[in-house]
Amino acid sequence: MTMTDISRRGFLKTSGITAGAVAFSSFAPLAATSNERGSGVLTAGRMGPILCEVKDGKLVATKNALAQTMPNSLQLTGPDQVYTKARVKYPMVRKGYLANPEQPQGTRGSDEFVRVSWPEAYKLIHEQHMRIRKQYGPASVFAGSYGWRSSGILHKAQTLLQRYMSMAGGYSGHLGDYSTGAAQIIMPHVVGSIEVYEQQTTYPVILESSDVVVLWGLNPVNTLKIAWTSTDCAGLEFFHQLKKSGKTVIIIDPIRSETAEFFGDNTTWVAPHPMTDVAMMLGIAHTLVKNNKHNIEFLQKYTEGYQTFEDYLLGKQDGIEKSADWASTICGLPAKQMHLLADIFAENRTMLMAGWGMQRQQYGEQRHWMLVTLAAMLGQIGLPGGGFGFSYHYSNGGNPTRDAGVLPAISASPGGGSSAGNDWAISGAVQSFPVARIVEALENPGVEYSHNGHTLTFPDIKMIWWAGGANFTHHQDTNRLIKAWQKPELVVISEPYWTAAAKHADVVLPITTSFERNDLTMTGDYSNQHLVPMKQVVEPQGEARNDFDVFADMAELLKPGGHDVYTEGKTEMEWLYGFYVAAQKSGRAARVAMPNFDTFWANNQLIEMKYNDKAAGFVRYADFRQDPVVNPLGTPSGKIEITSKTIAGFELPDCPAHPTWLEPTEYTGSAKQDELQLMTAHAADRLHSQFNYAELRDGYAIANREPIWIHPQDAKPRGIADGDLVRAFNGRGQVLVGALITERIKPGSVCIHEGGWPDLDPATGICKNGGANVLTLDIPTSRLANGCAANSALVKIEKYTGPELTLTAFDPPKNG
Ligand SMILES: Nc1nc2c(c(=O)[nH]1)N[C@H]1C(S)=C(S)[C@@H](COP(=O)(O)OP(=O)(O)OC[C@H]3O[C@@H](n4cnc5c(=O)[nH]c(N)nc54)[C@H](O)[C@@H]3O)O[C@H]1N2
Ligand SMILES: Nc1nc2c(c(=O)[nH]1)N[C@H]1C(S)=C(S)[C@@H](COP(=O)(O)OP(=O)(O)OC[C@H]3O[C@@H](n4cnc5c(=O)[nH]c(N)nc54)[C@H](O)[C@@H]3O)O[C@H]1N2
Ligand SMILES: [Mo]
């Protein structure tokens, strides 16, 4: 069904409202297949427990180790991860840096690299690290190193870096993340918790009790391929069963996503312009009020400050009624469609599931705040299958929590506490800034800025060590980043691959992949469904070493004995044994029996934790709904804050006291004639930049570049045909992309998925691989949250007619 089909019948045609609810037990969790599966070494990655086929010491294939109905392309990437030509083989140092580390010649990013031995690399880093630390203090050393390093509880790149830096006397760290920067700061003011990383009203309850499920900027068929720990695969199965249930599913997204394709005729696709959801929600809210369909009783009992918001909604302050007609001119949908959505939401048990792409935008705080407000007006929060949920598309939020033996993880300071032996002064982060403000920090040392009501100061960064993140791919406005990146005196990158960040470093250290070391992980960030051995499958490639060993060796250079303080005198397997014993102990408390470690490790099988019927019936906010006095929320009023006195007190022009439509700087509404809005959604066949080098790329690359999704209406007047090489550009940069002409995107918008490795041509400055962030705007969501606002940019596109440019994104540098 398309977005033009807006009849009530159109929406509800396949509705479970008449079909009847699906039985509670129908969401039987899929059994782990560890007993029936084929042979292979068992390990795990973000994409789930994985079986590895090894021939003659070589990893030849990887596949899922759990039963699953939905395919997960990322599970096939094992051999590419180990053997890609993009692997870093040896420690390498930039030529101009090696020649004179205190006064380096040449420029980061355009200099040659020279191979050195591990001891030479250690010595060089140690000496310069100590010089910088002594000269400028601990805050000058940035170890905030954000990113999606591999799964595992021992080989945690960032934590291991920080463990070393804490032994060295402290460092500058980061606050928050790129994922939910805006939502995780605004939600505690609104509902008293961060929401985005919390257990949701469960999948079984949705299948039993929801009539209408709204996927608001949610693309779970892509985003549930992975989890922060390792996916338990239950989320994809849930959406499979949701489709089978015949319930009404409405998808609100400028892109007809993989999820919309998956639901096919079982869904209605509604496509507003990007960045306009608040206007659209206001239009729906206004309709509710005009038709007296808002739940006044709920608003009175459970919320604070509704009246102020309603005054705004009805235009009592600014003379503008935020009606569906008003919203229509902004979001590009017919008013009738918003009227209909208001009716459907109010008349049925409706779960509003929201993704995060729409808060990774300028004024991103407003999206989820307004969505909670809309849900409050519908009055279904705390009822089974009603209300809102912000983690249904991520890490299987909604898969019931198991009774489990839960693994701990290595900590950022040795001994897990504040001291390790009397003569080590252990210190954590001495100064931290919101993670997506790194370029602003590099540009503005010592400058004050406002963050969540506080005044903070940017550190003066002189050294950066990045381990476990791809910041040249993940950060906005690459050319601005490259400029700011010249400021520090030393940049070290620990990486398995020659990422753009590695190519812009002074020292590059080759790190193992998770297939080359032993570790452990749970699956399901909320469910703890399995405990999985992550077994070493092959020998490390080249001279790759584990982050753990690198930092342990570096700690020895800090002071004799440092190695043992760092490792606490334990080997890799001794650490894993200790973690497992701790899990066994917590398992006993939950009445879960687990074999002893040696048996478990030799078994080559995962442990499935115990299903808990009570947990399976969890309804978020049920206790608050039952008694808001006994079970208040963690907000100042104890209620849902539709107007927040706290936020009002911050007096921020970019984040007012209640959800508000604020016109973005760069969006369709401000576009000049030939400009288009750029969306940068997460890709189906990558985890951000990870696996961009893999064979899967052959399936999606167009003209050997990242694809750009263009609506025929936008392609035709520009003379762009399907498969053409296209130049997308704006004042910030330019990229080469391959045209995918499709009606699956709202006219006026284009999409280049985030995660393509930047590959800047030195002569023209064009990114030859289509790295989306070369074009994005590096601004904070607002001075409330300072979140990542990547999805806020205008671009122009044209058919590329310049000289042929060869892709070099995945080539190691000369001598590499
Ligand atoms: N335009 C735009 N930009 C975005 C986004 C967007 O939507 N649009 N999304 C943002 C979001 S939500 C996020 S979370 C970020 C993601 O940004 P990142 O998390 O930085 O992205 P990844 O590509 O997963 O980077 C992980 C890196 O760690 C390396 N690595 C893997 N295992 C190990 C290990 O064991 N040790 C070491 N040392 N390294 C390892 C990998 O090779 C890879 O280079 O991107 C953000 N950027
Ligand atoms: N396969 C895969 N899975 C992943 C990741 C990955 O890179 N690859 N990344 C992981 C990480 S770190 C994160 S944070 C999550 C990200 O999860 P999300 O942030 O939810 O993912 P996105 O793809 O950015 O956005 C989801 C959908 O929102 C839509 N959207 C964008 N802007 C708007 C808007 O203005 N309005 C509306 N209504 N919709 C909009 C996009 O078109 C997209 O279909 O996914 C995780 N899962
Ligand atoms: Mo993320």
Side-chain angles (χ1 to χ4, degrees):
M1 199 177 301
T2 69
M3 59 177 166
T4 50
D5 187 352
I6 55 167
S7 71
R8 177 176 291 250
R9 241 181 73 78
F11 273 113
L12 299 177
K13 196 165 63 178
T14 55
S15 169
I17 298 163
T18 46
V22 173
F24 188 82
S25 58
S26 73
F27 186 67
L30 286 168
T33 50
S34 48
N35 294 322
E36 306 137 33
R37 65 178 162 75
S39 62
V41 184
L42 183 59
T43 185
R46 305 285 189 204
M47 65 296 284
I50 300 279
L51 284 172
C52 303
E53 194 187 329
V54 182
K55 267 199 194 122
D56 303 327
K58 250 194 121 174
L59 176 62
V60 293
T62 47
K63 61 174 186 192
N64 57 304
L66 294 176
Q68 61 187 36
T69 34
M70 304 269 287
N72 184 341
S73 55
L74 303 182
Q75 293 169 338
L76 309 174
T77 58
D80 286 333
Q81 287 187 52
V82 176
Y83 304 114
T84 172
K85 66 173 179 181
R87 282 297 294 267
V88 181
K89 296 191 199 70
Y90 345 93
M92 301 280 277
V93 181
R94 180 166 80 77
K95 199 173 174 185
Y97 189 84
L98 191 62
N100 186 353
E102 287 180 37
Q103 238 126 39
Q105 303 134 25
T107 312
R108 277 180 201 123
S110 50
D111 207 355
E112 278 181 37
F113 281 94
V114 181
R115 180 177 173 181
V116 296
S117 70
W118 273 105
E120 283 171 311
Y122 287 154
K123 181 164 178 284
L124 177 65
I125 300 170
H126 173 73
E127 286 174 0
Q128 293 309 312
H129 174 195
M130 291 304 109
R131 176 184 66 78
I132 290 169
R133 183 173 287 273
K134 201 165 156 213
Q135 198 171 338
Y136 307 106
S140 70
V141 180
F142 180 70
S145 181
Y146 175 82
W148 276 69
R149 50 113 191 143
S150 305
S151 296
I153 55 168
L154 174 62
H155 297 288
K156 295 177 66 176
Q158 288 85 5
T159 310
L160 294 168
L161 165 64
Q162 289 168 3
R163 191 174 167 93
Y164 158 71
M165 287 296 183
S166 69
M167 288 175 66
Y171 54 90
S172 273
H174 77 247
L175 303 168
D177 56 39
Y178 278 76
S179 315
T180 63
Q184 67 178 256
I185 295 287
I186 189 84
M187 276 303 116
H189 294 291
V190 179
V191 286
S193 67
I194 62 167
E195 282 301 313
V196 286
Y197 305 131
E198 287 173 76
Q199 180 60 289
Q200 310 291 293
T201 294
T202 64
Y203 293 145
V205 172
I206 301 289
L207 288 173
E208 172 159 293
S209 303
S210 302
D211 298 321
V212 174
V213 175
V214 181
L215 310 187
W216 207 310
L218 198 81
N219 188 11
V221 167
N222 272 14
T223 57
L224 285 172
K225 285 182 179 177
I226 58 93
W228 176 247
T229 52
S230 176
T231 179
D232 56 37
C233 302
L236 288 174
E237 176 60 19
F238 162 73
F239 282 97
H240 173 72
Q241 297 205 20
L242 180 63
K243 179 180 173 185
K244 278 204 314 197
S245 75
K247 287 175 189 294
T248 293
V249 174
I250 298 169
I251 296 186
I252 301 174
D253 196 317
I255 293 177
R256 187 174 165 87
S257 64
E258 289 78 359
T259 304
E261 289 288 287
F262 167 74
F263 277 98
D265 287 342
N266 295 341
T267 188
T268 304
W269 174 41
V270 178
H273 290 304
M275 300 187 79
T276 65
D277 298 85
V278 169
M280 178 182 171
M281 291 181 222
L282 286 167
I284 295 171
H286 185 274
T287 309
L288 290 174
V289 173
K290 286 293 164 186
N291 297 341
N292 246 324
K293 287 193 171 170
H294 57 317
N295 188 328
I296 294 170
E297 204 186 319
F298 183 92
L299 290 166
Q300 279 173 350
K301 190 167 175 192
Y302 299 102
T303 72
E304 176 74 19
Y306 170 72
Q307 201 50 53
T308 310
F309 168 78
E310 197 190 85
D311 288 351
Y312 163 75
L313 189 66
L314 300 179
K316 291 190 179 160
Q317 300 152 350
D318 57 6
I320 301 168
E321 287 209 41
K322 313 303 177 297
S323 65
D325 284 318
W326 166 85
S328 175
T329 61
I330 296 169
C331 70
L333 297 171
K336 187 178 154 202
Q337 197 158 20
M338 284 171 269
H339 295 153
L340 238 152
L341 288 171
D343 284 354
I344 292 170
F345 294 175
E347 289 164 14
N348 298 287
R349 184 61 60 84
T350 300
M351 176 54 82
L352 302 172
M353 299 181 175
W356 303 336
M358 65 173 167
Q359 56 86 61
R360 226 173 284 117
Q361 295 175 340
Q362 189 179 21
Y363 313 130
E365 293 84 353
Q366 306 304 313
R367 313 294 187 278
H368 290 72
W369 197 358
M370 184 58 216
L371 204 79
V372 172
T373 301
L374 184 58
M377 292 172 75
L378 296 169
Q380 299 180 16
I381 296 168
L383 292 179
F388 64 90
F390 297 159
S391 198
Y392 282 110
H393 67 298
Y394 178 78
S395 293
N396 311 290
N399 188 21
T401 305
R402 300 280 176 131
D403 291 340
V406 182
L407 291 164
I410 193 157
S411 74
S413 59
S418 58
S419 74
N422 359 350
D423 56 347
W424 285 88
I426 304 286
S427 166
V430 294
Q431 202 167 335
S432 296
F433 56 87
V435 68
R437 300 322 303 144
I438 181 148
V439 168
E440 193 183 349
L442 288 168
E443 290 170 345
N444 298 284
V447 171
E448 289 188 344
Y449 62 100
S450 155
H451 180 65
N452 202 12
H454 301 282
T455 300
L456 304 181
T457 309
F458 288 121
D460 189 359
I461 298 169
K462 300 290 186 185
M463 170 176 169
I464 292 177
W465 192 329
W466 217 289
N471 65 306
F472 263 61
T473 316
H474 76 221
H475 192 71
Q476 289 57 66
D477 198 346
T478 314
N479 285 310
R480 185 174 156 195
L481 166 67
I482 289 174
K483 230 179 256 158
W485 198 247
Q486 304 301 330
K487 190 212 167 228
E489 296 178 13
L490 170 60
V491 175
V492 184
I493 300 281
S494 295
E495 257 292 342
Y497 310 103
W498 278 108
T499 60
K503 289 177 181 171
H504 285 80
D506 298 317
V507 184
V508 181
L509 301 177
I511 303 300
T512 50
T513 65
S514 63
F515 297 96
E516 297 156 350
R517 60 203 188 202
N518 295 295
D519 215 324
L520 291 167
T521 187
M522 306 298 295
T523 69
D525 300 12
Y526 315 96
S527 72
N528 290 325
Q529 190 170 341
H530 312 96
L531 190 156
V532 195
M534 291 177 63
K535 295 194 150 210
Q536 180 172 345
V537 183
V538 290
E539 288 302 307
Q541 293 295 295
E543 293 186 1
R545 306 197 66 208
N546 299 333
D547 293 295
F548 179 80
D549 297 316
V550 171
F551 292 118
D553 287 350
M554 289 298 300
E556 182 67 20
L557 297 185
L558 291 175
K559 213 171 357 174
H563 184 281
D564 283 357
V565 172
Y566 188 90
T567 62
E568 297 176 30
K570 291 188 279 190
T571 63
E572 179 186 66
M573 287 312 286
E574 284 166 350
W575 273 98
L576 300 185
Y577 172 79
F579 292 141
Y580 185 86
V581 168
Q584 264 183 321
K585 202 170 156 205
S586 79
R588 268 195 296 277
R591 295 166 166 263
V592 175
M594 290 163 58
N596 71 38
F597 180 74
D598 290 343
T599 309
F600 160 73
W601 195 259
N603 273 351
N604 192 38
Q605 287 189 6
L606 52 78
I607 297 174
E608 172 139 27
M609 300 298 168
K610 219 165 69 188
Y611 197 77
N612 176 325
D613 280 327
K614 186 159 173 269
F618 174 73
V619 174
R620 200 160 173 78
Y621 294 115
D623 51 354
F624 168 64
R625 186 176 187 110
Q626 197 200 11
D627 193 334
V629 177
V630 175
N631 305 307
L633 303 182
T635 54
S637 62
K639 297 180 177 185
I640 298 169
E641 302 221 341
I642 293 175
T643 302
S644 161
K645 289 200 182 91
T646 312
I647 290 179
F650 298 160
E651 296 182 343
L652 297 167
D654 49 9
C655 190
H658 55 71
T660 303
W661 163 249
L662 299 167
E663 192 172 358
T665 316
E666 292 194 28
Y667 83 121
T668 22
S670 69
K672 298 202 192 68
Q673 209 185 0
D674 52 351
E675 287 176 327
L676 299 163
Q677 166 109 42
L678 174 67
M679 303 181 67
T680 59
H682 289 224
D685 292 328
R686 274 198 303 266
L687 172 54
H688 310 296
S689 76
Q690 296 189 64
F691 328 132
N692 193 196
Y693 50 75
E695 205 181 314
L696 287 173
R697 185 173 183 276
D698 299 345
Y700 63 79
I702 295 180
N704 199 22
R705 325 282 158 169
E706 274 304 297
I708 183 169
W709 293 31
I710 315 171
H711 194 277
Q713 278 178 32
D714 296 317
K716 210 165 160 219
R718 292 171 175 82
I720 296 171
D722 202 49
D724 275 355
L725 200 54
V726 166
R727 186 175 81 103
F729 59 101
N730 58 24
R732 294 178 286 273
Q734 42 180 338
V735 304
L736 281 190
V737 277
L740 180 85
I741 314 286
T742 173
E743 291 187 343
R744 286 175 55 191
I745 189 160
K746 179 90 168 170
S749 292
V750 291
C751 178
I752 305 173
H753 288 89
E754 59 109 24
W757 291 18
D759 183 19
L760 296 163
D761 177 52
T764 58
I766 297 183
C767 172
K768 296 177 284 183
N769 188 41
N773 277 320
V774 171
L775 302 169
T776 57
L777 186 58
D778 182 9
I779 51 166
T781 51
S782 83
R783 283 304 182 192
L784 182 84
N786 287 295
C788 163
N791 286 324
S792 323
L794 291 171
V795 293
K796 295 182 187 182
I797 56 171
E798 64 181 22
K799 200 175 148 121
Y800 179 70
T801 51
E804 196 181 312
L805 295 172
T806 309
L807 185 78
T808 51
F810 312 112
D811 296 340
K814 213 174 83 191
N815 314 324

